[in-house]
Amino acid sequence: MRARIAGRDVPFNGPRQAKMLAALLVDANNTVAVERLVAVMWDEKVPATAVRQVQDAVSGLRRNLVGCGAPGSLVSTRRGGYEIHLAPDQLDVLEFAHERALAARLSAPHETAAALRKALGCWHGRALMDVPSRALEIDAARLNEQRAATHKQCLSIEISLGRHREVIDELTALLREHPFDEDVAEQTIVALYRCGRQGEALQAYERLRRTLADELGVDPTPPLRALHQRILAADPALALPDLDRPPLEARPKGRVLAIAGSGMPMPVRQLPLDVPDFVGRDAALSEIAGLLDGPASYRSPVVVVVGGPGVGKSSLVTHAARLASGHFPDGQLYLDLAATSDEPRDPGLMLAEALRALSIVGSAIPSGLYERAALYRSLLVERRMLVVLDDAGQADQVLPLLPGADGCAVLITSRTLLTQLPGAHHIDLDVLSRAEAREMFTRIVGRPRVEREPEEADAILGCCGNLPLAIRIASGKLTGRPAWSLRVLRERIEDESQRLAELRIGDLSVRASVELSLRLLPADAVRALSLLGLLGAYTLPGWVVGPLLDRADAHEVLDVLVDASLVRLTATDANGEPRYRLHDLIRTCAVELAAPLPATDKRDAIVRVLSVWLELIGRATDRLPAGLLTAAPGSAPRRSLPDAVVDRLLADPFGWFDAERDNLLGVVKLAVDWHLDELAWELAAGASTYYDHRCLYQDWQHGHRLALDAAEAVGNARGASVLLRGLAQLHIYADEFERATVALESSVELCRDGGDKRGEALSVAMLSTVSRVQGRDDEALDRIEQALAIAVGEGDGHIEAQLSCSMAVMKLMQGRIDEAETWFAGALRLAEALDDEHRVAVVLRRYSRLHDLRGDPDEALRCLWRALATFEELGDERCAAYALLEVGRVYAGRSERDRAVPALERAAGLFHRHGDRQDEAACWELIGDLDAAAGFHDLARRHRERALPLWQAIGDMNRREPLTPPSSP
């Protein structure tokens, strides 16, 4: 392999970089999966860092290409892989294909021969001969087969044009290279005879006869034997160019098997019966049809349908093959590779079966695998056949069965990703859609029964998880029991612990189908699957497998489960992290699989996973804008992932929390279910800061209630005090002040009993907020002073800074401006000494009110702009919105409508994004007031109309769910 750019050879930094470029070039202008590149670079013993090394190799290759003058976009990153972008005249393989296609469109023989010669001129030796890689061997074989077929076609045309003297040396060399090829032998014999070399022609025939007899146990074909007789008889017609005889590429293609005595051709037709109740799969069928017989740029000779147990792969492929059979007139070959059985079929035996179907029998079938594969490819080179390989296992089982001919295509079903197959297009088959599942169920059971009990039908399909195998079993039970109502079956399968036992009829069983896959897995993958089932019906990040197995890195185990289609890669989240999920029935199998494991092993695995969640939640919270809702750590264990992994996961902490929102509640429930009360309360409380910033009050309340019940059940006073404080904050947001007071007083009592001074200070400070809102200012001041005294005594500067600011706000509300300024100044000094940028910004935002009241709006705006810059830098949109609201109020007070309105509109947009209806309504109402004051009454009406439904929604929420927090005073 050689790469040149502007006359300069591209250097390779070692053989792996050359392999990388070769793999990209073989599939030029198509995405090459990372898994495929790994297979190309390592024939065996793939290192744990393989993906990283592939990335490094691509980077190095890009640098070398760019260094020689290539554009930076030559090799682009695609989802799951890489792609090299080349025009036909920039790559010999593409130019070869282009010239062959051009030759096929020409009608004049001499023009066709010239085009084929130009195509052959793209070659300089055998394909990829200096790139050692098992994964590329089939690509090399396919390209070499194409070259040989093109060469034979060109020579056939040139002989028919009378150019036998010019091509005789090529033919002789080609026959040495392909000693079993009877087409080449025939052309060589004819060319020798026409050159007046009758003896050499006869010797060439005799060599071929002996070779075929000794190696394959067969005689030359009748046409060759007839040619031999004509040469012996010195037939004068042979001495002339055979202009009327069609050249090789124009002769009828496809050898046929003759029925003895009938003379009738019988193409190979081995496809199984179609499924009579096949439904849906329109997108997959359309994709397969386009790949098998679409435009050349889209066509793929190898299509792999991958899916989990019972998902309907074989049914889909059989149906698709029957639909496509008209495009493959030479027949359809079907081979069951039985990869999931006790005895997977050996590829050598499969080749013997295929050769027998192609009329090669007895001693004519070579004994070696490679010889059989070569003969198989040679027989298919001039045919248009569809090969179906059902239930394939590993790539090694499939590679020898791939034809090298352009006119053939292969459909493969597998439970395992076969990324090592060159040029293969994978279709990931999932369960049926709800509508397809309902249609399949209805077709089998009968429409009248389904229409009588539609809700029961939906419940049955829900228990089946829309899995075709499960639906077929459930439907079969109903068909065999016409007296049953659908309710009877629903009641029998709705119990998850009995579901797998019920989903069995005859030889069909969901459990047995899954077990077939499990038998092929290594022990650590089986253990991982069983433990994954214990985590519940959630979409999970990939890192959970490591702590489940108590290993630092278990990505290779997860890859085995994904490749086996037992764990489904569902999506990539907004942070670029892959997400995984078990189908409900596979999860039920996994739970059964885990049942025999020692209870301590299972509990330890759950604790390890939850301890990583707790560590991640804590470190993600540390990266959020500061808040005082996070409690000091309890005694629950913490376990960290490698720092590089943590930094990648938490690069966007809000994005990480958003992606894991369902799991934040799931891990609390998991901890509660396993009676891990300390982990439960810490996990619930750990997410409070995130919930507060995102206004996710329902999630917040649900997690806290779950954990509080668990903590109180075992007398965990510390956990209960923290959770009560969190729930009290929600009651304050909802103006449920009596409930907040009860919760906070209980929290204070528990903190005092347990000696938790920090917790006591926070709870008392929150009680002061309740007192202030309810108009009991003196009580509020007393409680702030009490909380401050505790904070100072404990040396907790963060709480002291917050409470000093709260004291300043109280003094400001009472009109005691000078005292308020003293407290504001003290809070600002404390926050700056703590290097707490967020607290500094909060104090400045509230300090601005004092400056505005003193008639110094310029200083107020300076405080607000400085605070706003900090909030935006920290990514705290909600506090930024509060600052913008204050900016709008200051400008409104100065009657500067043109400056107030943009700030208020920005604030309203942020409040809307965070679900803060109250402050959004305040923004629109203030804008309406400014419009009215300026005489824009229609505009004022429109803005007030935007505020009205928000105020009404707040009134409705008071009756149904917690409110957003009011803006600060």
Side-chain angles (χ1 to χ4, degrees):
M1 184 183 67
R2 184 183 186 190
R4 290 176 65 84
I5 297 175
R8 296 173 59 189
D9 284 334
V10 177
F12 298 128
N13 300 336
R16 287 180 185 167
Q17 207 172 85
K19 292 180 182 181
M20 173 76 62
L21 180 58
L24 292 171
L25 293 176
V26 164
D27 280 317
N29 302 318
N30 292 290
T31 299
V32 181
V34 170
E35 294 85 352
R36 159 80 167 154
L37 296 174
V38 169
V40 167
M41 290 176 68
W42 289 277
D43 292 333
E44 55 190 19
K45 295 182 181 179
V46 177
T49 58
V51 173
R52 171 59 61 188
Q53 291 191 50
V54 165
Q55 294 168 344
D56 292 342
V58 171
S59 298
L61 178 61
R62 279 177 174 150
R63 284 194 298 270
N64 290 345
L65 291 169
V66 172
C68 291
S73 59
L74 180 63
V75 178
S76 63
T77 302
R78 291 287 186 263
R79 183 174 179 179
Y82 302 91
E83 181 175 338
I84 191 166
H85 307 274
L86 293 168
D89 61 349
Q90 293 178 308
L91 177 63
D92 51 13
V93 171
L94 295 178
E95 187 174 5
F96 173 66
H98 174 74
E99 294 297 336
R100 287 180 71 205
L102 178 62
R105 294 195 294 268
L106 298 173
S107 57
H110 67 281
E111 293 179 349
T112 303
L116 292 174
R117 280 292 172 187
K118 190 171 182 182
L120 292 169
C122 300
W123 284 79
H124 306 282
R126 297 184 64 79
L128 303 173
M129 59 183 179
D130 58 348
V131 183
S133 170
R134 290 182 192 168
L136 292 174
E137 286 177 0
I138 189 67
D139 291 282
R142 172 174 54 83
L143 292 171
N144 289 326
E145 291 277 1
Q146 291 175 357
R147 178 196 185 188
T150 303
H151 201 179
K152 288 194 295 182
Q153 180 184 353
C154 180
L155 292 170
S156 177
I157 295 172
E158 290 181 329
I159 289 174
S160 71
L161 292 171
R163 300 175 184 170
H164 41 274
R165 295 187 184 279
E166 291 91 331
V167 300
I168 188 63
D169 291 339
E170 285 182 64
L171 282 167
T172 304
L174 192 60
L175 186 58
R176 282 197 300 269
E177 188 177 350
H178 302 282
F180 301 106
D181 194 317
E182 295 183 64
D183 290 321
V184 176
E186 179 183 350
Q187 293 170 356
T188 304
I189 292 167
V190 170
L192 286 169
Y193 184 78
R194 289 181 180 170
C195 290
R197 298 157 66 178
Q198 180 181 14
E200 292 179 60
L202 292 171
Q203 287 176 348
Y205 174 82
E206 183 59 24
R207 280 195 300 271
L208 174 67
R209 188 192 65 77
R210 285 199 307 270
T211 300
L212 292 175
D214 295 344
E215 300 293 333
L216 302 180
V218 297
D219 291 326
T221 58
L224 262 176
R225 293 202 299 271
L227 174 64
H228 179 235
Q229 292 300 318
R230 293 176 69 191
I231 292 174
L232 288 172
D235 185 349
L238 275 179
L240 302 173
D242 199 357
L243 298 178
D244 294 328
R245 182 173 183 265
L248 185 63
E249 83 288 350
R251 300 180 200 174
K253 292 183 179 180
R255 306 175 185 226
V256 296
L257 182 66
I259 300 177
S262 70
M264 294 176 59
M266 190 179 75
V268 179
R269 298 279 190 257
Q270 294 186 337
L271 292 179
L273 290 174
D274 205 352
V275 180
D277 44 35
F278 186 89
V279 298
R281 305 295 197 189
D282 292 341
L285 288 170
S286 177
E287 187 175 3
I288 292 172
L291 290 166
L292 294 184
D293 201 56
S297 59
Y298 182 68
R299 189 184 306 134
S300 175
V302 181
V303 180
V304 185
V305 177
V306 184
V311 82
K313 302 177 294 296
S314 296
S315 296
L316 170 67
V317 163
T318 298
H319 193 70
R322 287 193 167 274
L323 291 175
S325 60
H327 300 296
F328 299 95
D330 293 325
Q332 301 86 44
L333 189 64
Y334 175 85
L335 298 172
D336 181 2
L337 304 189
T340 56
S341 70
D342 291 331
E343 297 182 5
R345 307 289 299 279
D346 179 77
L349 295 178
M350 291 288 90
L351 281 168
E353 184 177 320
L355 290 171
R356 283 192 292 272
L358 296 169
S359 305
I360 305 298
V361 295
S363 61
I365 297 177
S367 58
L369 173 66
Y370 293 108
E371 291 80 4
R372 288 180 181 181
L375 179 57
Y376 169 74
R377 290 196 301 270
S378 297
L379 291 172
L380 294 183
V381 76
E382 294 179 28
R383 298 174 186 253
R384 283 188 59 79
M385 287 193 69
L386 178 62
V387 179
V388 176
L389 305 178
D390 200 7
D391 193 15
Q394 302 300 318
D396 290 346
Q397 191 185 25
V398 174
L399 281 168
L401 298 167
L402 297 182
D406 287 344
C408 295
V410 186
L411 276 177
I412 303 171
T413 72
S414 179
R415 297 188 182 189
T416 304
L417 283 171
L418 303 176
T419 53
Q420 291 174 275
L421 295 184
H425 183 95
H426 285 72
I427 296 176
D428 189 7
L429 197 64
D430 201 357
V431 297
L432 296 170
S433 69
R434 290 182 62 184
E436 291 172 339
R438 181 69 176 262
E439 178 62 23
M440 179 181 178
F441 184 74
T442 301
R443 285 193 185 185
I444 300 173
V445 174
R447 194 167 300 278
R449 293 178 77 178
V450 174
E451 289 179 348
R452 280 197 300 271
E453 298 178 90
E455 293 82 7
E456 301 291 353
D458 289 339
I460 290 170
L461 292 173
C463 292
C464 293
N466 296 340
L467 186 73
L469 175 61
I471 295 170
R472 186 168 299 283
I473 293 171
S475 304
K477 281 202 166 187
L478 289 169
T479 302
R481 297 161 178 80
W484 272 16
S485 67
L486 270 61
R487 177 188 57 80
V488 172
L489 180 62
R490 189 263 302 164
E491 289 175 346
R492 295 181 66 159
I493 67 173
E494 66 181 354
D495 181 355
E496 189 171 293
S497 65
Q498 298 299 315
R499 189 171 299 161
L500 293 177
E502 290 291 339
L503 289 175
R504 178 172 185 169
I505 183 170
D507 293 333
L508 295 179
S509 167
V510 172
R511 180 189 285 120
S513 182
V514 175
E515 287 173 350
L516 289 175
S517 290
L518 295 177
R519 285 201 308 235
L520 304 177
L521 297 180
D524 55 357
V526 175
R527 182 176 178 84
L529 182 68
S530 66
L531 295 174
L532 277 169
L534 302 178
L535 300 184
Y538 297 97
T539 300
L540 299 166
W543 61 256
V544 298
V545 180
L548 278 177
L549 296 178
D550 199 14
R551 289 164 56 169
D553 186 355
H555 287 303
E556 71 281 3
V557 179
L558 179 58
D559 288 344
V560 169
L561 293 173
V562 171
D563 289 348
S565 300
L566 292 169
V567 172
R568 185 164 183 81
L569 174 59
T570 59
T572 298
D573 63 29
N575 302 313
E577 294 297 318
R579 313 293 297 182
Y580 302 90
R581 189 180 181 92
L582 297 180
H583 184 277
D584 287 345
L585 290 175
I586 293 179
R587 181 174 54 80
T588 302
C589 289
V591 172
E592 284 190 359
L593 197 63
L597 296 177
T600 53
D601 287 2
K602 291 184 283 190
R603 182 184 175 88
D604 289 347
I606 296 296
V607 168
R608 288 193 298 269
V609 171
L610 293 179
S611 65
V612 176
W613 276 112
L614 183 59
E615 175 71 10
L616 286 172
I617 289 171
R619 292 176 71 169
T621 298
D622 290 342
R623 300 184 185 208
L624 297 180
L628 291 169
L629 289 167
T630 304
S635 60
R638 282 168 167 76
R639 179 184 177 116
S640 181
L641 299 173
D643 286 342
V645 175
V646 173
D647 289 340
R648 188 188 74 240
L649 292 175
L650 305 183
D652 174 9
F654 272 119
W656 181 81
F657 271 119
D658 291 340
E660 304 296 355
R661 180 180 167 186
D662 288 343
N663 285 318
L664 296 178
L665 289 176
V667 294
V668 174
K669 184 178 185 303
L670 186 63
V672 170
D673 290 344
W674 284 83
H675 308 292
L676 302 168
D677 58 283
E678 190 73 8
L679 273 164
W681 83 255
E682 289 204 55
L683 288 163
S688 297
T689 300
Y690 163 69
Y691 289 147
D692 194 31
H693 281 295
R694 284 288 197 245
C695 304
L696 298 172
Y697 303 128
Q698 294 298 322
D699 288 11
W700 184 349
Q701 184 182 61
H702 183 55
H704 273 52
R705 288 289 181 198
L706 281 173
L708 180 60
D709 290 344
E712 290 180 336
V714 297
N716 189 328
R718 172 75 197 292
S721 70
V722 172
L723 296 166
L724 284 166
R725 187 161 59 245
L727 289 169
Q729 184 66 61
L730 290 170
H731 294 317
I732 292 172
Y733 286 166
D735 294 336
E736 299 169 353
F737 299 115
E738 295 306 319
R739 296 178 70 182
T741 299
V742 171
L744 287 168
E745 287 176 346
S746 296
S747 177
V748 169
E749 184 177 350
L750 289 169
C751 288
R752 287 172 178 167
D753 291 345
D756 182 3
K757 292 294 186 180
R758 183 180 186 276
E760 180 185 353
L762 288 172
S763 296
V764 171
M766 291 172 66
L767 281 169
S768 75
T769 299
V770 174
S771 300
R772 174 176 59 79
V773 172
Q774 292 185 323
R776 300 191 300 274
D777 292 349
D778 291 340
E779 183 181 82
L781 277 172
D782 287 343
R783 283 174 165 169
I784 289 179
E785 289 172 352
Q786 180 185 349
L788 259 172
I790 297 172
V792 171
E794 290 296 303
D796 194 322
H798 291 281
I799 298 180
E800 184 181 353
Q802 179 210 7
L803 294 177
S804 296
C805 188
S806 298
M807 182 70 81
V809 171
M810 286 293 302
K811 299 294 185 182
L812 191 62
M813 291 176 64
Q814 294 175 338
R816 297 154 70 174
I817 293 179
D818 290 340
E819 292 181 50
E821 183 170 26
T822 300
W823 281 106
F824 273 132
L828 192 59
R829 282 195 302 273
L830 277 170
E832 289 174 340
L834 291 167
D835 198 23
D836 187 342
E837 294 180 354
H838 190 271
R839 179 58 51 191
V840 169
V842 169
V843 174
L844 288 171
R845 174 172 62 82
R846 292 181 167 178
Y847 209 163
S848 69
R849 280 285 186 97
L850 182 145
H851 295 302
D852 198 34
L853 288 172
R854 277 187 164 171
D856 191 353
D858 291 336
E859 183 61 29
L861 288 169
R862 276 192 289 273
C863 289
L864 288 169
W865 291 125
R866 182 180 165 193
L868 180 61
T870 298
F871 293 141
E872 289 178 337
E873 182 180 353
L874 295 175
D876 188 347
E877 290 189 343
R878 195 175 63 172
C879 280
Y882 289 144
L884 287 165
L885 175 55
E886 294 297 328
V887 168
R889 284 172 173 163
V890 173
Y891 280 129
R894 295 170 62 169
S895 299
E896 295 185 37
R897 176 181 174 278
D898 291 344
R899 292 185 173 182
V901 170
L904 292 169
E905 287 178 338
R906 275 188 64 198
L910 292 171
F911 287 133
H912 178 78
R913 177 152 55 193
H914 287 271
D916 187 343
R917 294 176 175 87
Q918 183 167 318
D919 286 301
E920 183 188 355
C923 289
W924 294 122
E925 188 156 310
L926 182 52
I927 292 173
D929 292 344
L930 290 167
D931 293 335
F936 302 124
H937 298 294
D938 288 342
L939 200 56
R941 177 178 52 78
R942 288 201 295 271
H943 284 133
R944 286 167 176 165
E945 285 175 350
R946 292 190 70 168
L948 181 60
L950 294 170
W951 292 123
Q952 290 172 338
I954 291 168
D956 291 340
M957 286 172 66
N958 274 325
R959 293 188 292 273
R960 289 200 306 267
E961 60 182 70
L963 291 174
T964 54
S967 61
S968 60

